[in-house]
Amino acid sequence: MGHGSVKKGVFVPLGVAALLAGPVVSALAAGSAAAGQAGATEAASGAVSAGVGPSVGGGLSSVSGTPGGVDSMPAGGVVQAPPKDARVSIDAAKQKVTGVFGIRVTPEMTFNYSFMSGAPDGRRRWNLSWQTPPSQGGPGESYNAAVDADSGAILSYQHWKGQDQVFPPTVTREQARQTALDLVKRLQPVESQQIVPWPVQDAVGPQGLMGFAFSFARVQDGVPFPSNGFHVVISPDGQVSSYDFLWSTNVMFPDSKPALGQGQAQATLANTLQVSAHYIPDPSKWVGAAQVRMVYQANVAASTITPGLGYAPAGPMLLDASGARWIDGMGNPVSVPDAPPTTPLMSGGPEVPTFYSQPLDESAAERIARSLSELSTSATLVTSNLNDGGRGQHPTWTFTFTESDNTSVNVGVDAMSGEVVWFNTGRPMPLNATVPESPPAVTPDRARQVAVDFLKRVLPNRLGALAVPNNQPQDGPILFNKSFAAPMAPVGPGIVKPPIAQTYMINAIHLHHGVIDDLSNVSVSVDKTTGQVTNYYARFADDPGMGINYPEGRAKPSEQAREAYLKAIHMTLAYVQLMKPDSAEPGPVRLVYLPVSSAPLSGWDALTGEWIRPFGAEPGGVDLGGIRGHWAERELSALFQAGIMQPVNGKIAPDQPITRGDFVAALMRAVSPYGGPAPDTPSFEDVPSNHPDYPYIEWALQRGWIDAGKQFHPDDPLTRIAMADILVREQGYQDLTKITGIFQNPYSDMSGRSDREMADAAVVTGLGLMRGSDGKFSPDDPASRAQAAVVLYNLLTMHK
């Protein structure tokens, strides 16, 4: 029975029926001891949904092959009719892929193929795609592969299964790694002798682990070349989800001896790296949860290059191994940005305006729009609307004016603060604009000052919370005339060049209590010729009514965060393929030092001192060695590898009590990971929107798994009877527990408890989710994290 639906109490499993009053099945398992720990339960097997989707890349869609489906292919090649000189036929390519990966081709499957040449790696390839139709209302399966048309080498393979993934994982990480390595050796026996492991992150989603990922970088002259290599993902049930192989045959390598030593490279990083504190949306939570974290971020980012996954810039910053020079992915020298400034435009000035109790009326808002935006006195009002932006927005007056030259100007006025929060002139950029022979009439410094003066005029009550970095302005966006519908293309021997940027863009920093606020946005565009402000936008996420709570507290010293980054980033000597300027094509190979990290550096929490990882803790990063031999080792390992349970201060802490909030969060991740939007106003006084378990608790309340009230006590230990009650509701038997006198009491310590509590204990026992010890249920004892893991494990495997 799926966890997405709630049962109505019509069907009662035999285990529950055994506890109903009247004839009782003598095989009742209540009271049995549990592997050396009260509350431990026996585990069964089952499935957990992971929601993995197909892997698709950019490029053109094929029109060749059998009708009924479309395959995807990598960008950078040209689709053409199959040539006669292809050494490997399409039939041979099909046979190789189906044989290696065990694809069982059935009559109902559709098959597509195309031939492509001109790829950056110099290989001609067959692109193949199989698709099974949906069955019983569910999605089908798809297989995509690419095969070298000259050598027969399999270049890529992806398998997407539109069904639940197996839980618990039937393979360990080490077993999955061996499967990946064996596949690489079998498909490329020569190249597999010239590779080294390369750091890569597992495939992780809101529910946790979706696949074990492994990358292997090509080695040339003893130096890794991560622009080439292998990337393999193994599903939790040990199957190959994807395989990618990239090994260029047309590259030249420079001398492998660096002028800069490893120690010098690390010292250069230490001399370069700076950190700054930011408020950011919490990357460990899902959409709909208004969560904010205060983190330290570094001005040097770790490289995200992944062997086997195609050509891409190796990272925003690389250290040239021929000297201590930082370069970008195209080989151009770059200046390492300083940490953003936190000195406001007016030190000690106002940070938040006074807000009205009622929205401004139209006439008052129009006066503000005319006086503070770049309107002429002759502008004519065309339309006006009061828009309720909904959650995360104040009501805003929107005005459209027409100027004497028939151009329109749109202006937005915050109806609660009286501030102009956006406007645009609506003037398109001319298509025939060319690069001027002389510098723009307005210098960057002048444009920056124009923007600063403008902000002082339109946001006088926020000058104590606004800063403008010295590295501003930047070139603004290129705006095209709406009547121009076709893309630019070569014309005769020449090429139509795109118009140049006509504006500067100045991005201001908003500070919340002195910390950089990345949730807010303030930008000003200045015309390079006239020096006029042409566009402006401001949104302040910390204003009242926005529904976002910022975590408060004393941040850890910035030097501590800097040391954490220096320990996490390793300057690694490597060859990288640079990109050609203004092109998606690969360029020359350069010997560099790459900033490499074995963990995703989303940010270092300024309050807790922990690394933040997408969707919570990285499954592969959990140290399971500390629970070896524990009575719940199997269940704990499965739950932590799947990302359903999360560490406490980096530790599994199996015998520590689990909190009420953490159990609800783990339950939600296990059975309903895509919870939906959280409410504008927290439902419990003690669970604000910045509490780590906030969205899970709100979603559990929406589903009726917990009771409403003023307090939830999320950080209190969860009692065993409270855990039983939550499980009964999740299973949909809450109506059954309201009927009095129908359950027998198999536990000596449940005498005198309420009918509901006795029913809760009976139902979870009958379902096999929880059991007592020595004839006792121990209802008021706190449930340990190990007990919770066993309960969740049983919940996920009970229907297998």
Side-chain angles (χ1 to χ4, degrees):
M1 192 169 296
H3 284 103
S5 61
V6 177
K7 295 183 282 290
K8 302 299 183 181
V10 176
F11 169 75
V12 181
L14 289 176
V16 176
L19 290 168
L20 296 175
V24 181
V25 177
S26 61
L28 177 65
S32 61
Q37 178 79 15
T41 54
E42 295 183 78
S45 56
V48 58
S49 173
V52 110
S55 172
V56 289
L60 303 172
S61 294
S62 148
V63 294
S64 306
T66 304
V70 176
D71 70 322
S72 63
M73 64 193 68
V78 178
V79 178
Q80 63 180 54
K84 296 180 179 179
D85 64 343
R87 298 177 186 175
V88 178
S89 67
I90 182 62
D91 289 335
K94 287 171 59 178
Q95 185 176 1
K96 181 158 189 178
V97 172
T98 56
V100 167
F101 296 104
I103 301 176
R104 189 170 65 88
V105 179
T106 58
E108 66 270 15
M109 295 174 73
T110 58
F111 173 72
N112 278 265
Y113 69 89
S114 65
F115 184 87
M116 190 176 75
S117 64
D121 60 0
R123 296 178 184 268
R124 303 188 301 172
R125 67 193 69 206
W126 291 106
N127 294 294
L128 309 93
S129 174
W130 293 264
Q131 180 73 45
T132 62
S135 60
Q136 297 181 354
E141 291 185 72
S142 66
Y143 304 85
N144 293 276
V147 176
D148 189 305
D150 295 301
S151 69
I154 296 177
L155 305 178
S156 67
Y157 166 81
Q158 294 86 33
H159 176 207
W160 178 68
K161 294 185 293 186
Q163 61 186 25
D164 291 349
Q165 291 212 13
V166 173
F167 182 90
T170 57
V171 296
T172 65
R173 167 174 292 281
E174 184 53 37
Q175 290 171 332
R177 179 185 178 278
Q178 192 59 51
T179 298
L181 196 55
D182 290 344
L183 177 66
V184 167
K185 291 178 178 180
R186 179 156 54 101
L187 294 185
Q188 297 295 336
V190 175
E191 288 82 353
S192 65
Q193 302 302 312
Q194 307 168 49
I195 58 175
V196 292
W198 191 259
V200 68
Q201 305 310 314
D202 283 338
V204 182
Q207 196 173 10
L209 178 69
M210 297 191 297
F212 298 103
F214 306 94
S215 281
F216 306 94
R218 176 180 178 179
V219 175
Q220 181 72 29
D221 299 328
V223 177
F225 178 41
S227 299
N228 278 190
F230 300 85
H231 181 73
V232 186
V233 178
I234 304 298
S235 65
D237 60 355
Q239 302 301 308
V240 179
S241 294
S242 69
Y243 165 86
D244 290 278
F245 166 60
L246 180 61
W247 204 279
S248 299
T249 59
N250 53 0
V251 293
M252 299 287 292
F253 292 93
D255 191 339
S256 61
K257 298 185 187 300
L260 196 69
Q262 169 68 39
Q264 293 171 301
Q266 206 69 31
T268 302
L269 173 67
N271 292 332
T272 303
L273 191 138
Q274 300 176 24
V275 298
S276 53
H278 298 248
Y279 285 110
I280 66 170
D282 190 345
S284 70
K285 299 297 184 293
W286 311 316
V287 176
Q291 300 269 321
V292 180
R293 300 284 284 271
M294 184 199 299
V295 305
Y296 280 109
Q297 294 181 332
N299 61 339
V300 178
S303 172
T304 57
I305 188 171
T306 302
L309 290 187
Y311 296 98
M317 289 174 54
L318 321 168
L319 188 62
D320 194 328
S322 64
R325 295 185 310 156
W326 291 98
I327 59 175
D328 63 16
M330 293 179 291
N332 300 317
V334 293
S335 298
V336 180
D338 291 329
T342 56
T343 302
L345 295 177
M346 181 186 294
S347 296
E351 298 184 16
V352 182
T354 301
F355 294 92
Y356 307 122
S357 58
Q358 297 293 328
L360 284 172
D361 61 29
E362 181 179 358
S363 60
E366 183 186 349
R367 286 195 299 271
I368 293 172
R370 288 183 177 276
S371 63
L372 294 182
S373 63
E374 301 291 281
L375 282 170
S376 68
T377 56
S378 61
T380 303
L381 177 64
V382 179
T383 62
S384 62
N385 295 285
L386 178 62
N387 301 308
D388 182 0
R391 182 181 182 186
Q393 299 288 338
H394 284 171
T396 303
W397 281 102
T398 300
F399 300 98
T400 300
F401 299 91
T402 300
E403 293 282 12
S404 57
D405 61 356
N406 291 324
T407 58
S408 63
V409 179
N410 302 301
V411 185
V413 177
D414 189 314
M416 304 308 297
S417 68
E419 297 169 311
V420 172
V421 289
W422 59 268
F423 82 89
N424 62 77
T425 60
R427 296 185 179 93
M429 296 296 105
L431 285 173
N432 58 356
T434 57
V435 178
E437 297 181 359
S438 58
V442 179
T443 65
D445 287 343
R446 175 57 187 160
R448 182 181 184 278
Q449 189 59 51
V450 168
V452 168
D453 293 342
F454 176 79
L455 292 174
K456 289 180 177 179
R457 180 159 60 89
V458 296
L459 299 172
N461 295 318
R462 297 188 188 266
L463 299 182
L466 290 175
V468 178
N470 292 326
N471 65 351
Q472 299 293 323
Q474 304 169 354
D475 275 344
I478 299 172
L479 304 178
F480 298 92
N481 191 312
K482 294 180 180 179
S483 64
F484 187 76
M488 295 187 179
V491 177
I495 294 193
V496 177
K497 294 183 178 180
I500 62 172
Q502 300 291 308
T503 61
Y504 294 111
M505 177 174 285
I506 296 88
N507 294 305
I509 291 174
H510 180 249
L511 305 171
H512 177 80
H513 297 174
V515 176
I516 298 170
D517 174 19
D518 289 346
L519 286 83
S520 299
N521 184 9
V522 181
S523 64
V524 181
S525 294
V526 177
D527 190 286
K528 289 184 176 182
T529 302
T530 66
Q532 290 183 321
V533 175
T534 58
N535 293 274
Y536 155 73
Y537 176 81
R539 178 182 181 274
F540 302 100
D542 62 349
D543 281 354
M546 294 300 189
I548 299 176
N549 287 334
Y550 286 68
E552 305 295 344
R554 186 179 182 84
K556 293 185 179 297
S558 60
E559 186 58 30
Q560 190 174 344
R562 184 174 175 276
E563 288 299 320
Y565 272 99
L566 288 175
K567 289 181 181 178
I569 298 176
H570 306 282
M571 299 301 288
T572 304
L573 185 67
Y575 285 121
V576 298
Q577 185 119 39
L578 301 178
M579 303 300 292
K580 293 180 180 178
D582 304 320
S583 170
E585 296 295 317
V589 173
R590 181 78 64 89
L591 186 66
V592 302
Y593 281 97
L594 277 177
V596 176
S597 174
S598 59
L601 305 183
S602 301
W604 192 78
D605 193 297
L607 300 179
T608 67
E610 297 178 347
W611 288 109
I612 298 175
R613 302 171 186 266
F615 302 117
E618 187 81 6
V622 179
D623 181 11
L624 300 175
I627 59 170
R628 191 163 291 117
H630 193 279
W631 62 268
E633 178 184 356
R634 176 186 62 172
E635 294 83 359
L636 285 164
S637 297
L639 269 294
F640 275 90
Q641 281 194 90
I644 292 171
M645 291 190 71
Q646 306 288 341
V648 175
N649 297 324
K651 299 184 181 299
I652 293 179
D655 301 318
Q656 178 178 316
I658 192 168
T659 66
R660 292 167 54 82
D662 284 354
F663 178 77
V664 169
L667 176 64
M668 187 64 67
R669 282 191 291 265
V671 302
S672 186
Y674 303 95
D680 294 339
T681 303
S683 302
F684 298 100
E685 295 175 348
D686 57 352
V687 190
S689 61
N690 62 346
H691 190 283
D693 296 327
Y694 167 73
Y696 314 102
I697 292 170
E698 292 290 351
W699 297 332
L701 179 65
Q702 293 169 6
R703 287 158 176 74
W705 298 352
I706 58 177
D707 288 327
K710 290 185 176 181
Q711 305 280 331
F712 181 71
H713 307 290
D715 302 316
D716 288 356
L718 177 75
T719 64
R720 286 173 47 78
I721 193 63
M723 181 162 64
D725 187 67
I726 294 172
L727 293 169
V728 167
R729 295 183 185 209
E730 188 278 330
Q731 284 291 290
Y733 291 119
Q734 59 269 33
D735 290 341
L736 188 63
T737 62
K738 296 175 183 178
I739 306 174
T740 61
I742 66 169
F743 288 101
Q744 288 193 344
N745 175 19
Y747 299 108
S748 62
D749 58 352
M750 291 300 295
S751 298
R753 310 292 294 209
S754 68
D755 287 337
R756 173 173 166 176
E757 289 179 331
M758 193 164 68
D760 285 337
V763 170
V764 294
T765 300
L767 291 173
L769 296 176
M770 296 176 66
R771 294 196 297 181
S773 175
D774 297 328
K776 296 181 179 180
F777 190 75
S778 305
D780 298 320
D781 285 358
S784 71
R785 289 166 56 80
Q787 292 172 359
V790 175
V791 165
L792 292 171
Y793 185 98
N794 286 344
L795 182 67
L796 291 169
T797 58
M798 64 186 295
H799 299 303
K800 186 172 180 179

